[in-house]
Amino acid sequence: MTKKTTSFKFWLLRILLFSTGMMAGLSVPWYAYINHVTTTIANDTFEVPSVIFARSLELYPNRRLSAAALNYELDLLGYQPVNTTPGIGQYRQQGSHYEIYSKGFHFADGHDQATRIELNLNNNRIEHITPALARLEPKVIGHFFNQDFENRRPIALSEIPDTMVMGLQAVEDREFKHHHGVSWSGIMRAAVKNLMAGGIVQGGSTLTQQLVKNKLHYHEQTFLRKLHELLAATLLETKLNKRDILAMYFNEIYWGQNGRVAIHGVVEAAQFYFAKNIQQLTIAEQATLIGLIKGPSWYNPYKHPERAITRRNVVLNSWLETGIIDNKTHQQARNKALQLSQSRQLKGDYDNYIDVVKRQIRDRFSSNELKQNGLRVFTHLDPYIQYRTSQTAQKTDDWLSDQVETAIIVSSSQSGGLLALTGSKNPRSQYNRALLAKRQIGSLIKPFIYLAALETLSDFDLNTELHDGPISIKTPQGPWQPQNWDNKGLGDITAMEALVQSRNQATVDLGVKIGLDKLLKFLNKLGLSIKHNAHPALFLGAIELSPFEVQHLFSLFASRGNTTQINAIISITDNDNKVLSRAIQPRKQNLQIAHIDQINTALNAVTTRGTARRLTTTFDLPKPLFGKTGTTNNGRDSWFSGFDQDHLMTVWVGRDDNQPTPYSGSNGALILWANLFKNL
């Protein structure tokens, strides 16, 4: 052997050893890394955003309900109107007669099965209903998302229809049960077809590879990433069985986009496109969803219905070919229209309401719990009333002026449940005036001054005479001399008349009799936090409150003392429907109901012959109504807070820059209040 040959073998050996070392040095850490990644995937738990629901629509005899409200709710929930006997998620209306097939729902107090409901409406009330008590599922009004804005709700594989489970494999991976994560024959077939086509017309990825790609967020396919994917898919199949992989796939895969929110998982896909539980999907609807997996944007049925139908029919052909469905089912499904839910077109204005939910929930649950644990928050929000409230606010420019803003709050008179809230006439406004705008309340304070007198002065009732004339009170800033709105004095008048006609000087006369310190103590007892160095102008409402705080105050009168707390939340459950929290019950005020009733008598007179008489004269609203107008200097704030036996509503109108307006409580806020009340 020559010296040259020996040298060549020596260097060849060194190169081989070096290459082997390099391969081992790179492949071992690479394998360890991919092994770690797949272990993480196998043990991964989904972050599930908490869901915020509106109230469920309860249906029972004599319930107040208009056809407009019922139709709006059915459309909002995605029920489809039909002319034949309705199936699940459909309804038929014939005049005042309704046939509804509800979808069922897991409520906090138990599971309601899908139910056939028949009812008649008469004079805006349910005249007859079978069964005697029923309810529709609540509308989802919001979520607590993580930073990725992914919406999903996991489901067990056993709860997914067999046609979808088998159908997914028939379309996406027919060898799923036989390969170990990678289908080499599938890769070869795809390579041949792509070569013959001169481009990529078919992929060779298995379901396991697709799952890995989604989990690792691979959007660009490079050679190295493809190697990652192949090894990871192979390793994942050693750590999960086939059913686990299918379950994870159905809960992970991306099905489309709702604004900035990504729709993940088959449960949310069924709700988003068809407003149905997954078990209630027809064969055609199941095939539409399976077809979407190939390209949620390209086959988006809302934007590209023809493409979606074509793709659905390809899926149906595959199902027929593999024996998943028979010829009759195949033909029936192909002939169906897409029948997408149109509920997503009725987007409610819920953001301002959700601000209240966040305030009332933040002390009970952490941000991580809300974004990851899939809690269910049930609220009092009434979707139809919220819709009408938003519409009323948006009419501010037409009924008043484009120079002013508004905030409107509606709650249940009896329970204090918050039914609707809007903080602006502009639905895109980011400033929630209902919660954040602190404004002087003016004459809205007066009913509480008179209530304080009833509670603290032993010789006072609403027949007691007060002096409605010039009055001067010493203050550190000099004498304070309040005037009446008409710059006149009526002399000695009863307290009832002074409250009904909103007389300033008579009210100050009463305030002096009570005493500022005693009044402050009483108002603090009602929940107002007022400093003890307050000016006597407090007698006339020189105190800044938000519209929401005003709503709290007037709930005292609307409920006859039963509540002074407006609650957005009914209850909160975990993902297994276990109740974790209920509405905070307010401490009941120690007030005499007889005194509250006396004030309510005056508040009723305000709406018939006082400052709010336009409600029953001009607007001809049904009696009895109760309420109080409020106006601050130069019309900077226009208020009306009023109620009947069902609803308490507070409306504020004013300018954000606190400049004067031409509106008093009776020709500003009251106009919006009256128009909203007519439409409830």
Side-chain angles (χ1 to χ4, degrees), residues 356 359-360 409-413 415-418 421 434-435 438 444 448 526-528 545-568 584 586 589 591 639 641 643 648-650:
V356 182
R359 281 190 172 198
Q360 296 187 348
I409 303 157
V410 186
S411 63
S412 164
S413 293
S415 71
L418 181 63
L421 181 145
L435 286 182
K438 295 277 191 176
L444 290 183
F448 302 94
L526 296 183
L528 295 180
L545 297 178
S546 69
F548 193 59
E549 289 171 321
V550 169
Q551 186 83 351
H552 281 288
L553 278 179
F554 273 83
S555 68
L556 173 70
F557 297 124
S559 68
R560 294 183 67 225
N562 286 328
T563 182
T564 55
Q565 180 74 32
I566 304 300
N567 274 315
I584 298 173
Q589 299 291 346
L591 300 172
W639 295 88
S641 192
F643 58 92
L648 165 64
M649 305 192 302
T650 295

Side-chain angles (χ1 to χ4, degrees), residues 62-175:
N62 205 38
R63 180 203 165 101
R64 180 177 172 178
L65 183 66
S66 67
L70 179 55
N71 286 336
Y72 179 84
E73 187 107 13
L74 289 168
D75 292 343
L76 189 69
L77 293 173
Y79 283 76
Q80 295 177 345
V82 295
N83 295 319
T84 58
T85 300
I88 291 176
Q90 297 178 332
Y91 73 98
R92 175 168 62 178
Q93 179 187 2
Q94 295 173 307
S96 61
H97 181 74
Y98 286 79
E99 297 173 65
I100 306 167
Y101 202 151
S102 72
K103 305 171 191 173
F105 188 77
H106 286 279
F107 292 94
D109 59 359
H111 178 62
D112 281 12
Q113 299 290 340
T115 304
R116 291 190 179 276
I117 305 166
E118 291 194 44
L119 62 87
N120 281 78
L121 296 179
N122 185 20
N123 197 26
N124 290 335
R125 292 194 178 272
I126 297 178
E127 184 178 55
H128 172 76
I129 181 171
T130 304
L133 178 63
R135 55 186 171 180
L136 302 182
E137 72 277 11
K139 169 70 178 175
V140 174
I141 63 171
H143 296 82
F144 289 94
F145 288 113
N146 60 24
Q147 62 183 4
D148 295 327
F149 285 94
E150 292 183 354
N151 194 15
R152 65 162 56 81
R153 189 153 292 269
I155 188 173
L157 190 66
S158 59
E159 298 180 63
I160 301 173
D162 288 342
T163 43
M164 289 195 79
V165 176
M166 294 185 294
L168 172 69
Q169 298 168 69
V171 173
E172 295 291 331
D173 186 358
R174 293 192 182 182
E175 298 177 11

Side-chain angles (χ1 to χ4, degrees), residues 235-277:
L235 290 175
L236 187 61
E237 292 236 3
T238 68
K239 298 170 183 179
L240 293 175
N241 62 41
K242 293 290 186 179
R243 289 186 62 80
D244 290 337
I245 291 172
L246 281 173
M248 187 174 287
Y249 185 96
F250 271 110
N251 288 311
E252 170 63 31
I253 208 71
Y254 172 71
W255 250 288
Q257 200 76 20
N258 182 17
R260 63 177 179 174
V261 178
I263 306 300
H264 283 264
V266 69
V267 173
E268 291 300 331
Q271 283 293 328
F272 180 68
Y273 292 106
F274 301 108
K276 287 183 177 181
N277 299 328

Side-chain angles (χ1 to χ4, degrees), residues 225-520:
R225 284 196 167 182
K226 193 65 178 178
L227 284 179
H228 279 326
E229 181 186 302
L230 294 174
L231 178 58
T234 304
L235 290 175
L236 187 61
E237 292 236 3
T238 68
K239 298 170 183 179
L240 293 175
N241 62 41
K242 293 290 186 179
R243 289 186 62 80
D244 290 337
I245 291 172
L246 281 173
M248 187 174 287
Y249 185 96
F250 271 110
N251 288 311
E252 170 63 31
I253 208 71
Y254 172 71
W255 250 288
Q257 200 76 20
N258 182 17
R260 63 177 179 174
V261 178
I263 306 300
H264 283 264
V266 69
V267 173
E268 291 300 331
Q271 283 293 328
F272 180 68
Y273 292 106
F274 301 108
K276 287 183 177 181
N277 299 328
I278 187 173
Q279 297 87 353
Q280 297 166 351
L281 295 174
T282 65
I283 292 296
E285 291 164 346
Q286 293 176 31
T288 300
L289 292 186
I290 294 299
L292 273 172
I293 294 171
K294 184 177 181 180
S297 297
W298 181 256
Y299 296 111
N300 185 324
Y302 287 109
K303 295 181 178 180
H304 310 294
E306 294 85 4
R307 290 179 194 168
I309 289 175
T310 301
R311 176 62 181 162
R312 179 200 68 184
N313 291 344
V314 169
V315 171
L316 289 171
N317 291 343
S318 177
W319 290 4
L320 176 65
E321 178 187 334
T322 53
I324 294 172
I325 57 175
D326 57 27
N327 279 304
K328 181 180 179 181
T329 304
H330 172 259
Q331 198 59 44
Q332 289 175 340
R334 282 183 62 93
N335 291 336
K336 281 187 176 293
L338 284 174
Q339 294 183 312
L340 300 170
S341 167
Q342 298 306 312
S343 62
R344 63 193 296 267
Q345 309 300 329
L346 299 173
K347 290 191 175 181
D349 178 19
Y350 307 127
D351 288 348
N352 289 166
Y353 189 100
I354 292 172
D355 287 342
V356 182
V357 174
K358 289 178 179 177
R359 281 190 172 198
Q360 296 187 348
I361 202 175
R362 63 188 177 191
D363 293 334
R364 288 180 261 180
F365 297 94
S366 70
S367 176
N368 284 339
E369 286 177 305
L370 292 172
K371 294 176 181 178
Q372 299 177 10
N373 292 358
L375 304 182
R376 305 199 308 161
V377 182
F378 295 95
T379 73
H380 288 282
L381 182 132
D382 185 306
Y384 183 69
I385 294 179
Q386 180 64 51
Y387 163 71
R388 285 299 188 183
T389 300
S390 298
Q391 292 292 304
T392 300
Q394 290 172 37
K395 288 283 189 178
T396 300
D397 290 358
D398 298 334
W399 293 328
L400 299 178
S401 163
D402 62 0
Q403 299 298 308
V404 296
E405 261 290 357
T406 189
I408 307 175
I409 303 157
V410 186
S411 63
S412 164
S413 293
Q414 305 308 315
S415 71
L418 181 63
L419 304 177
L421 181 145
T422 185
S424 174
K425 64 183 180 182
N426 182 354
R428 291 178 295 277
S429 172
Q430 299 299 307
Y431 183 49
N432 190 345
R433 292 160 187 81
L435 286 182
L436 303 176
K438 295 277 191 176
R439 307 292 294 232
Q440 287 200 2
I441 66 172
S443 295
L444 290 183
I445 196 69
K446 289 175 180 174
F448 302 94
I449 305 295
Y450 289 78
L451 179 61
L454 290 170
E455 287 283 320
T456 62
L457 301 178
S458 59
D459 58 348
F460 176 82
D461 61 32
L462 293 189
N463 292 317
T464 301
E465 287 194 342
L466 301 172
H467 184 66
D468 187 50
I471 187 170
S472 180
I473 301 176
K474 291 182 180 180
T475 72
Q477 295 79 29
W480 180 62
Q481 299 173 325
Q483 301 294 315
N484 285 318
W485 55 269
D486 57 2
N487 293 317
K488 298 177 181 179
L490 301 181
D492 292 337
I493 59 175
T494 65
M496 170 69 80
E497 201 63 21
L499 179 52
V500 171
Q501 301 301 331
S502 198
R503 306 303 293 180
N504 289 346
Q505 291 173 332
T507 300
V508 173
D509 180 39
L510 178 59
V512 171
K513 289 180 171 62
I514 298 170
L516 191 57
D517 287 343
K518 191 180 291 185
L519 177 62
L520 284 168

